Amino acid sequence: MRAEVITIGDEILIGQIVDTNSAWMARQLNNIGIKIKQISSVSDDRQHILNALVEAASRADIILITGGLGPTKDDITKNTLAEYFNVALVENAETLANVTRIFAKSNRPMLDINKAQALVPQNCEVLINHNGTAPGMWFESDGKIYVSMPGVPFEMMYLMDEQVIPRLKTAFKLPEIIHKTMLTAGEGESFLAIRIADIEDRLPEHVKLAYLPKLGQVRLRLSAYDGGTANLEQEINMFAAEIAERVSDVLVATEDVTLEKAVLNVMESKGLTLSVAESCTGGYIAHLLTQHAGSSKVFAGGAVTYSNTLKQQILGVQRQTLDVYGAVSEETVKEMLNGALKNFNTNFAIAVTGIAGPDGGSADKPVGTVWIAVGSIEKKLVKKFTFGSKRLQNIERSAAGALAMLNTLLKDVDK
Amino acid sequence: MRAEVITIGDEILIGQIVDTNSAWMARQLNNIGIKIKQISSVSDDRQHILNALVEAASRADIILITGGLGPTKDDITKNTLAEYFNVALVENAETLANVTRIFAKSNRPMLDINKAQALVPQNCEVLINHNGTAPGMWFESDGKIYVSMPGVPFEMMYLMDEQVIPRLKTAFKLPEIIHKTMLTAGEGESFLAIRIADIEDRLPEHVKLAYLPKLGQVRLRLSAYDGGTANLEQEINMFAAEIAERVSDVLVATEDVTLEKAVLNVMESKGLTLSVAESCTGGYIAHLLTQHAGSSKVFAGGAVTYSNTLKQQILGVQRQTLDVYGAVSEETVKEMLNGALKNFNTNFAIAVTGIAGPDGGSADKPVGTVWIAVGSIEKKLVKKFTFGSKRLQNIERSAAGALAMLNTLLKDVDK
């Protein structure tokens, strides 16, 4: 069963908004075993929408359309759908009641432009939108299903969850599809590929392995498509377990999770706390951790010591160390780590100092030179990295490197 | 001049990643006057990529392709491009040297799989990727330009900035478009619109004003399209100056710059230093500031005091204040600010404490309650905000709120 997504709206094509709807819809469809063949973002243009509908219908059985439904005059999706199906627009009583109710609730006068939202193509079944005035529309034509939804994310999500997904499950007998994702950090894509080449070679036709790299991390995703096998889940778990064992030294998680969240999960389960002493990462590691709800159970906080003065003052780095070895040195990063462990009183700490660039490098210590120290009072890891010349990348790579080192150390900590 | 973007990769179609590349590319193209007609995300499938290329070429003059270039065997873009252009793959010496250099630098052995990255379709001009091993490829065929780039955002961005955009400018005689952007913070879109309505009404047909809102900030962008006017730049600057004067109290910058960078610029020009004391923003403000090269001239660092213990220890907040008023209170945020000014010895400091959510709220202090204090020894601003229920938005809004308050205070500081 194949689907396509068409998102309508100039705001995506001029880059004003990022299309997050499509990825969300793709995940929901995948969960019920529907593959998306193509996602197309097209302009608010009648002919362009018509062409996109014809192309999508030539490839897929289900066409989901978002955007281009609203009260303002630049929305032409509804008229174009009526033209595509060669039907008239008719007023839908239930939709009119919904629009009227929403305006009554907010005590605002209803305008003609809003009443017009109750006009829908004659051949559609209306999916009432309890979160907004633009209705969802369900069409069946020539053995294919078309669904049109507003582009406002929470309105679309409501219609998908409550109406579209349940209806699609009923309409089709769907093949099974299962994904299993593993997160690794600290080993490059091609080295991982070599380490698991023989396992990959043994994968049956209906099981696919994808490498999804991201600065300092690689996700390994196994996807099993219904191939008449008795138990897809058992099969995919078997391969996943084999891969996980093979790469256990760099394995962070056997689920689809961010690196920092995986580390937070492990630390929380082991009852450990964490603090940071950040120089060149400038608060980025703290930000990554505190993005996640519940991070305060593990993360106490820390210091962003951009200046040498603050390295001495908050972390107790010795003036002499900075003078003799410099701020970016093994000696300084060790003192930063010790200062964090002592002053912030956590089980583990992360310390990072480096030259993020683009300026500040020297022949001795070029831009991209980063020292990372991670550990507890009992056990520490200290490592020098040589990243590239791009500031943001150096910050991200340093954070991933530090978290990967922490992940390694945590493997030796009992619960 | 019309362009299309094709993104290749199953990870987008199964919703594992959100396609942020396309919006970024769209903005860059728009700046030089190129409109995107369609964005298509297709699977790692030879026939599907071929079809997408044919369709895109039927609508556009420039086809930008991202994704599907990497060392592992699931990448088929390069072979498919060779098939599309009916040419062979040949080894490119410059690319091989680049791959070799990257591996040498990181002291890792180069594998056959990596050497294969130097194979490119015979008819392409290679765009060397200094940030990764997969090269960019520039094709000219039947009067159209095709560019293939890796999907890793920073590699794509580098190639676009350094190579693709300058080459497109040269390849086409593009109509003149001039943009002038002003950044405001602390005033909503509709209120700004009312304040400048009469100026907007007086804009000539070929000058457009766009409101680009982002949590706590609104960018006002004037775009002047070549309309035969003698001096587009003079014309647009006149309107920009009029708008800037009208909204001067909430104006942050008269250029397209981020809020934090604008604040850094002002502080640097006035010779001022800054530190932070962050609780609910968890390092995000420090991260925003330190993303920017040269931020160390202004930003000394600070503390992320997630726990109450660290609020006392690093910032000197009184235990009694926390007990009586709570961590999220006017009294606590004031002590955090004073602690930062005193302990970090900077001219200005920012202190933030709040409930980012989704948990931790109460009837008295619901999720989204945030206290922000900003100031110097001489002058301080303290404000309570009530944001929403979304954690990440609350963090972003808090940061924008704090920086907007700092911007206001800085207006009264002489150079």
Side-chain angles (χ1 to χ4, degrees), chain B residues 266-295:
Chain B
V266 171
M267 294 193 82
E268 189 181 343
S269 75
K270 297 186 178 182
L272 299 169
T273 57
L274 176 66
S275 62
V276 295
E278 302 190 54
S279 183
C280 70
T281 46
Y284 184 61
I285 298 174
H287 166 57
L288 282 180
L289 295 165
T290 58
Q291 276 183 83
H292 299 280
S295 49

PDB file of all heavy atoms in Angstrom, chain B residues 266-295:
ATOM      1  N   VAL B 266      26.030  45.414  19.672  1.00  0.00           N
ATOM      2  CA  VAL B 266      25.863  46.665  20.422  1.00  0.00           C
ATOM      3  C   VAL B 266      26.811  46.687  21.614  1.00  0.00           C
ATOM      4  O   VAL B 266      27.501  47.681  21.868  1.00  0.00           O
ATOM      5  CB  VAL B 266      24.400  46.830  20.888  1.00  0.00           C
ATOM      6  CG1 VAL B 266      24.264  48.010  21.849  1.00  0.00           C
ATOM      7  CG2 VAL B 266      23.471  47.005  19.700  1.00  0.00           C
ATOM      8  N   MET B 267      26.865  45.579  22.335  1.00  0.00           N
ATOM      9  CA  MET B 267      27.710  45.537  23.531  1.00  0.00           C
ATOM     10  C   MET B 267      29.179  45.694  23.173  1.00  0.00           C
ATOM     11  O   MET B 267      29.936  46.385  23.847  1.00  0.00           O
ATOM     12  CB  MET B 267      27.455  44.249  24.320  1.00  0.00           C
ATOM     13  CG  MET B 267      26.045  44.191  24.896  1.00  0.00           C
ATOM     14  SD  MET B 267      25.801  42.885  26.137  1.00  0.00           S
ATOM     15  CE  MET B 267      26.465  43.691  27.603  1.00  0.00           C
ATOM     16  N   GLU B 268      29.580  45.033  22.094  1.00  0.00           N
ATOM     17  CA  GLU B 268      30.983  45.133  21.695  1.00  0.00           C
ATOM     18  C   GLU B 268      31.325  46.582  21.332  1.00  0.00           C
ATOM     19  O   GLU B 268      32.368  47.108  21.750  1.00  0.00           O
ATOM     20  CB  GLU B 268      31.278  44.203  20.507  1.00  0.00           C
ATOM     21  CG  GLU B 268      32.768  44.132  20.220  1.00  0.00           C
ATOM     22  CD  GLU B 268      33.121  43.236  19.040  1.00  0.00           C
ATOM     23  OE1 GLU B 268      32.272  42.414  18.630  1.00  0.00           O
ATOM     24  OE2 GLU B 268      34.247  43.368  18.525  1.00  0.00           O
ATOM     25  N   SER B 269      30.404  47.225  20.607  1.00  0.00           N
ATOM     26  CA  SER B 269      30.687  48.611  20.195  1.00  0.00           C
ATOM     27  C   SER B 269      30.739  49.549  21.399  1.00  0.00           C
ATOM     28  O   SER B 269      31.372  50.593  21.342  1.00  0.00           O
ATOM     29  CB  SER B 269      29.638  49.084  19.184  1.00  0.00           C
ATOM     30  OG  SER B 269      28.419  49.353  19.856  1.00  0.00           O
ATOM     31  N   LYS B 270      30.064  49.175  22.476  1.00  0.00           N
ATOM     32  CA  LYS B 270      30.078  50.016  23.667  1.00  0.00           C
ATOM     33  C   LYS B 270      31.087  49.538  24.716  1.00  0.00           C
ATOM     34  O   LYS B 270      31.155  50.085  25.815  1.00  0.00           O
ATOM     35  CB  LYS B 270      28.670  50.085  24.277  1.00  0.00           C
ATOM     36  CG  LYS B 270      27.655  50.742  23.341  1.00  0.00           C
ATOM     37  CD  LYS B 270      26.284  50.955  23.952  1.00  0.00           C
ATOM     38  CE  LYS B 270      25.377  51.661  22.937  1.00  0.00           C
ATOM     39  NZ  LYS B 270      24.031  51.953  23.429  1.00  0.00           N
ATOM     40  N   GLY B 271      31.821  48.491  24.373  1.00  0.00           N
ATOM     41  CA  GLY B 271      32.856  47.992  25.280  1.00  0.00           C
ATOM     42  C   GLY B 271      32.305  47.355  26.551  1.00  0.00           C
ATOM     43  O   GLY B 271      32.908  47.449  27.617  1.00  0.00           O
ATOM     44  N   LEU B 272      31.157  46.696  26.445  1.00  0.00           N
ATOM     45  CA  LEU B 272      30.516  46.113  27.627  1.00  0.00           C
ATOM     46  C   LEU B 272      30.671  44.595  27.666  1.00  0.00           C
ATOM     47  O   LEU B 272      30.807  43.939  26.638  1.00  0.00           O
ATOM     48  CB  LEU B 272      29.026  46.452  27.612  1.00  0.00           C
ATOM     49  CG  LEU B 272      28.679  47.952  27.651  1.00  0.00           C
ATOM     50  CD1 LEU B 272      27.196  48.164  27.362  1.00  0.00           C
ATOM     51  CD2 LEU B 272      29.076  48.557  28.997  1.00  0.00           C
ATOM     52  N   THR B 273      30.635  44.031  28.872  1.00  0.00           N
ATOM     53  CA  THR B 273      30.719  42.572  29.030  1.00  0.00           C
ATOM     54  C   THR B 273      29.431  42.027  29.631  1.00  0.00           C
ATOM     55  O   THR B 273      28.666  42.748  30.264  1.00  0.00           O
ATOM     56  CB  THR B 273      31.906  42.190  29.933  1.00  0.00           C
ATOM     57  OG1 THR B 273      31.747  42.855  31.194  1.00  0.00           O
ATOM     58  CG2 THR B 273      33.227  42.586  29.293  1.00  0.00           C
ATOM     59  N   LEU B 274      29.224  40.713  29.431  1.00  0.00           N
ATOM     60  CA  LEU B 274      27.959  40.073  29.806  1.00  0.00           C
ATOM     61  C   LEU B 274      28.199  38.697  30.418  1.00  0.00           C
ATOM     62  O   LEU B 274      29.105  37.971  30.004  1.00  0.00           O
ATOM     63  CB  LEU B 274      27.098  39.911  28.533  1.00  0.00           C
ATOM     64  CG  LEU B 274      25.761  39.192  28.641  1.00  0.00           C
ATOM     65  CD1 LEU B 274      24.767  39.982  29.498  1.00  0.00           C
ATOM     66  CD2 LEU B 274      25.169  38.944  27.256  1.00  0.00           C
ATOM     67  N   SER B 275      27.390  38.361  31.399  1.00  0.00           N
ATOM     68  CA  SER B 275      27.392  36.982  31.923  1.00  0.00           C
ATOM     69  C   SER B 275      25.950  36.538  32.117  1.00  0.00           C
ATOM     70  O   SER B 275      25.027  37.353  32.041  1.00  0.00           O
ATOM     71  CB  SER B 275      28.154  36.906  33.252  1.00  0.00           C
ATOM     72  OG  SER B 275      27.526  37.716  34.222  1.00  0.00           O
ATOM     73  N   VAL B 276      25.760  35.249  32.337  1.00  0.00           N
ATOM     74  CA  VAL B 276      24.394  34.728  32.503  1.00  0.00           C
ATOM     75  C   VAL B 276      24.275  33.873  33.759  1.00  0.00           C
ATOM     76  O   VAL B 276      25.259  33.284  34.226  1.00  0.00           O
ATOM     77  CB  VAL B 276      23.956  33.860  31.289  1.00  0.00           C
ATOM     78  CG1 VAL B 276      23.867  34.685  30.026  1.00  0.00           C
ATOM     79  CG2 VAL B 276      24.885  32.672  31.102  1.00  0.00           C
ATOM     80  N   ALA B 277      23.053  33.822  34.274  1.00  0.00           N
ATOM     81  CA  ALA B 277      22.712  32.911  35.366  1.00  0.00           C
ATOM     82  C   ALA B 277      21.416  32.253  34.941  1.00  0.00           C
ATOM     83  O   ALA B 277      20.342  32.825  35.047  1.00  0.00           O
ATOM     84  CB  ALA B 277      22.536  33.700  36.662  1.00  0.00           C
ATOM     85  N   GLU B 278      21.521  31.048  34.383  1.00  0.00           N
ATOM     86  CA  GLU B 278      20.364  30.416  33.759  1.00  0.00           C
ATOM     87  C   GLU B 278      19.832  29.248  34.573  1.00  0.00           C
ATOM     88  O   GLU B 278      20.577  28.344  34.920  1.00  0.00           O
ATOM     89  CB  GLU B 278      20.746  29.868  32.375  1.00  0.00           C
ATOM     90  CG  GLU B 278      21.297  30.901  31.418  1.00  0.00           C
ATOM     91  CD  GLU B 278      21.409  30.333  30.006  1.00  0.00           C
ATOM     92  OE1 GLU B 278      20.422  29.828  29.477  1.00  0.00           O
ATOM     93  OE2 GLU B 278      22.523  30.384  29.441  1.00  0.00           O
ATOM     94  N   SER B 279      18.530  29.297  34.836  1.00  0.00           N
ATOM     95  CA  SER B 279      17.925  28.099  35.393  1.00  0.00           C
ATOM     96  C   SER B 279      17.095  27.419  34.300  1.00  0.00           C
ATOM     97  O   SER B 279      17.613  26.578  33.582  1.00  0.00           O
ATOM     98  CB  SER B 279      17.104  28.405  36.644  1.00  0.00           C
ATOM     99  OG  SER B 279      16.607  27.196  37.160  1.00  0.00           O
ATOM    100  N   CYS B 280      15.856  27.833  34.076  1.00  0.00           N
ATOM    101  CA  CYS B 280      15.005  27.075  33.145  1.00  0.00           C
ATOM    102  C   CYS B 280      15.503  27.096  31.712  1.00  0.00           C
ATOM    103  O   CYS B 280      15.176  26.204  30.939  1.00  0.00           O
ATOM    104  CB  CYS B 280      13.552  27.534  33.219  1.00  0.00           C
ATOM    105  SG  CYS B 280      13.286  29.185  32.540  1.00  0.00           S
ATOM    106  N   THR B 281      16.276  28.095  31.326  1.00  0.00           N
ATOM    107  CA  THR B 281      16.799  28.106  29.959  1.00  0.00           C
ATOM    108  C   THR B 281      17.991  27.156  29.810  1.00  0.00           C
ATOM    109  O   THR B 281      18.406  26.862  28.695  1.00  0.00           O
ATOM    110  CB  THR B 281      17.190  29.538  29.510  1.00  0.00           C
ATOM    111  OG1 THR B 281      17.939  30.142  30.565  1.00  0.00           O
ATOM    112  CG2 THR B 281      15.967  30.374  29.209  1.00  0.00           C
ATOM    113  N   GLY B 282      18.520  26.690  30.912  1.00  0.00           N
ATOM    114  CA  GLY B 282      19.463  25.566  30.916  1.00  0.00           C
ATOM    115  C   GLY B 282      20.681  25.684  30.011  1.00  0.00           C
ATOM    116  O   GLY B 282      21.147  24.675  29.481  1.00  0.00           O
ATOM    117  N   GLY B 283      21.194  26.869  29.809  1.00  0.00           N
ATOM    118  CA  GLY B 283      22.390  27.011  28.978  1.00  0.00           C
ATOM    119  C   GLY B 283      22.080  27.492  27.571  1.00  0.00           C
ATOM    120  O   GLY B 283      22.991  27.733  26.771  1.00  0.00           O
ATOM    121  N   TYR B 284      20.774  27.638  27.280  1.00  0.00           N
ATOM    122  CA  TYR B 284      20.391  27.999  25.912  1.00  0.00           C
ATOM    123  C   TYR B 284      20.851  29.409  25.541  1.00  0.00           C
ATOM    124  O   TYR B 284      21.293  29.652  24.416  1.00  0.00           O
ATOM    125  CB  TYR B 284      18.878  27.869  25.741  1.00  0.00           C
ATOM    126  CG  TYR B 284      18.413  28.140  24.333  1.00  0.00           C
ATOM    127  CD1 TYR B 284      18.865  27.352  23.268  1.00  0.00           C
ATOM    128  CD2 TYR B 284      17.535  29.172  24.044  1.00  0.00           C
ATOM    129  CE1 TYR B 284      18.446  27.600  21.974  1.00  0.00           C
ATOM    130  CE2 TYR B 284      17.108  29.425  22.751  1.00  0.00           C
ATOM    131  CZ  TYR B 284      17.575  28.632  21.720  1.00  0.00           C
ATOM    132  OH  TYR B 284      17.155  28.879  20.432  1.00  0.00           O
ATOM    133  N   ILE B 285      20.755  30.346  26.511  1.00  0.00           N
ATOM    134  CA  ILE B 285      21.182  31.723  26.207  1.00  0.00           C
ATOM    135  C   ILE B 285      22.697  31.754  25.968  1.00  0.00           C
ATOM    136  O   ILE B 285      23.173  32.361  25.007  1.00  0.00           O
ATOM    137  CB  ILE B 285      20.780  32.690  27.340  1.00  0.00           C
ATOM    138  CG1 ILE B 285      19.244  32.708  27.467  1.00  0.00           C
ATOM    139  CG2 ILE B 285      21.321  34.091  27.093  1.00  0.00           C
ATOM    140  CD1 ILE B 285      18.721  33.514  28.645  1.00  0.00           C
ATOM    141  N   ALA B 286      23.441  31.048  26.820  1.00  0.00           N
ATOM    142  CA  ALA B 286      24.896  30.971  26.627  1.00  0.00           C
ATOM    143  C   ALA B 286      25.208  30.354  25.265  1.00  0.00           C
ATOM    144  O   ALA B 286      26.088  30.822  24.537  1.00  0.00           O
ATOM    145  CB  ALA B 286      25.526  30.136  27.744  1.00  0.00           C
ATOM    146  N   HIS B 287      24.465  29.310  24.915  1.00  0.00           N
ATOM    147  CA  HIS B 287      24.686  28.653  23.626  1.00  0.00           C
ATOM    148  C   HIS B 287      24.388  29.597  22.462  1.00  0.00           C
ATOM    149  O   HIS B 287      25.150  29.672  21.492  1.00  0.00           O
ATOM    150  CB  HIS B 287      23.826  27.393  23.533  1.00  0.00           C
ATOM    151  CG  HIS B 287      23.736  26.840  22.148  1.00  0.00           C
ATOM    152  ND1 HIS B 287      24.850  26.481  21.425  1.00  0.00           N
ATOM    153  CD2 HIS B 287      22.674  26.620  21.331  1.00  0.00           C
ATOM    154  CE1 HIS B 287      24.466  26.058  20.226  1.00  0.00           C
ATOM    155  NE2 HIS B 287      23.158  26.136  20.149  1.00  0.00           N
ATOM    156  N   LEU B 288      23.281  30.327  22.559  1.00  0.00           N
ATOM    157  CA  LEU B 288      22.942  31.290  21.490  1.00  0.00           C
ATOM    158  C   LEU B 288      24.088  32.275  21.285  1.00  0.00           C
ATOM    159  O   LEU B 288      24.502  32.542  20.159  1.00  0.00           O
ATOM    160  CB  LEU B 288      21.682  32.074  21.860  1.00  0.00           C
ATOM    161  CG  LEU B 288      20.333  31.389  21.691  1.00  0.00           C
ATOM    162  CD1 LEU B 288      19.209  32.342  22.119  1.00  0.00           C
ATOM    163  CD2 LEU B 288      20.112  30.957  20.247  1.00  0.00           C
ATOM    164  N   LEU B 289      24.601  32.816  22.394  1.00  0.00           N
ATOM    165  CA  LEU B 289      25.658  33.825  22.309  1.00  0.00           C
ATOM    166  C   LEU B 289      26.953  33.230  21.763  1.00  0.00           C
ATOM    167  O   LEU B 289      27.610  33.814  20.899  1.00  0.00           O
ATOM    168  CB  LEU B 289      25.909  34.439  23.687  1.00  0.00           C
ATOM    169  CG  LEU B 289      24.737  35.248  24.287  1.00  0.00           C
ATOM    170  CD1 LEU B 289      24.962  35.488  25.777  1.00  0.00           C
ATOM    171  CD2 LEU B 289      24.561  36.576  23.552  1.00  0.00           C
ATOM    172  N   THR B 290      27.320  32.058  22.258  1.00  0.00           N
ATOM    173  CA  THR B 290      28.632  31.494  21.911  1.00  0.00           C
ATOM    174  C   THR B 290      28.644  30.791  20.558  1.00  0.00           C
ATOM    175  O   THR B 290      29.691  30.344  20.106  1.00  0.00           O
ATOM    176  CB  THR B 290      29.124  30.522  23.000  1.00  0.00           C
ATOM    177  OG1 THR B 290      28.150  29.480  23.171  1.00  0.00           O
ATOM    178  CG2 THR B 290      29.342  31.240  24.313  1.00  0.00           C
ATOM    179  N   GLN B 291      27.480  30.701  19.904  1.00  0.00           N
ATOM    180  CA  GLN B 291      27.452  30.232  18.522  1.00  0.00           C
ATOM    181  C   GLN B 291      28.233  31.177  17.629  1.00  0.00           C
ATOM    182  O   GLN B 291      28.684  30.789  16.561  1.00  0.00           O
ATOM    183  CB  GLN B 291      26.025  30.302  17.998  1.00  0.00           C
ATOM    184  CG  GLN B 291      25.120  29.170  18.290  1.00  0.00           C
ATOM    185  CD  GLN B 291      23.796  29.431  17.599  1.00  0.00           C
ATOM    186  OE1 GLN B 291      23.648  29.152  16.428  1.00  0.00           O
ATOM    187  NE2 GLN B 291      22.856  29.990  18.313  1.00  0.00           N
ATOM    188  N   HIS B 292      28.297  32.441  18.061  1.00  0.00           N
ATOM    189  CA  HIS B 292      28.843  33.468  17.190  1.00  0.00           C
ATOM    190  C   HIS B 292      30.335  33.687  17.428  1.00  0.00           C
ATOM    191  O   HIS B 292      30.764  33.873  18.571  1.00  0.00           O
ATOM    192  CB  HIS B 292      28.071  34.774  17.385  1.00  0.00           C
ATOM    193  CG  HIS B 292      26.625  34.633  17.033  1.00  0.00           C
ATOM    194  ND1 HIS B 292      26.170  34.665  15.735  1.00  0.00           N
ATOM    195  CD2 HIS B 292      25.535  34.385  17.803  1.00  0.00           C
ATOM    196  CE1 HIS B 292      24.864  34.477  15.723  1.00  0.00           C
ATOM    197  NE2 HIS B 292      24.445  34.293  16.960  1.00  0.00           N
ATOM    198  N   ALA B 293      31.074  33.650  16.337  1.00  0.00           N
ATOM    199  CA  ALA B 293      32.507  33.910  16.410  1.00  0.00           C
ATOM    200  C   ALA B 293      32.723  35.289  17.016  1.00  0.00           C
ATOM    201  O   ALA B 293      31.990  36.220  16.721  1.00  0.00           O
ATOM    202  CB  ALA B 293      33.113  33.842  15.009  1.00  0.00           C
ATOM    203  N   GLY B 294      33.691  35.390  17.886  1.00  0.00           N
ATOM    204  CA  GLY B 294      34.011  36.684  18.479  1.00  0.00           C
ATOM    205  C   GLY B 294      33.171  37.015  19.699  1.00  0.00           C
ATOM    206  O   GLY B 294      33.346  38.078  20.305  1.00  0.00           O
ATOM    207  N   SER B 295      32.252  36.127  20.081  1.00  0.00           N
ATOM    208  CA  SER B 295      31.380  36.414  21.228  1.00  0.00           C
ATOM    209  C   SER B 295      32.176  36.554  22.523  1.00  0.00           C
ATOM    210  O   SER B 295      31.723  37.196  23.471  1.00  0.00           O
ATOM    211  CB  SER B 295      30.314  35.330  21.387  1.00  0.00           C
ATOM    212  OG  SER B 295      30.888  34.043  21.352  1.00  0.00           O
TER     213      SER B 295
END
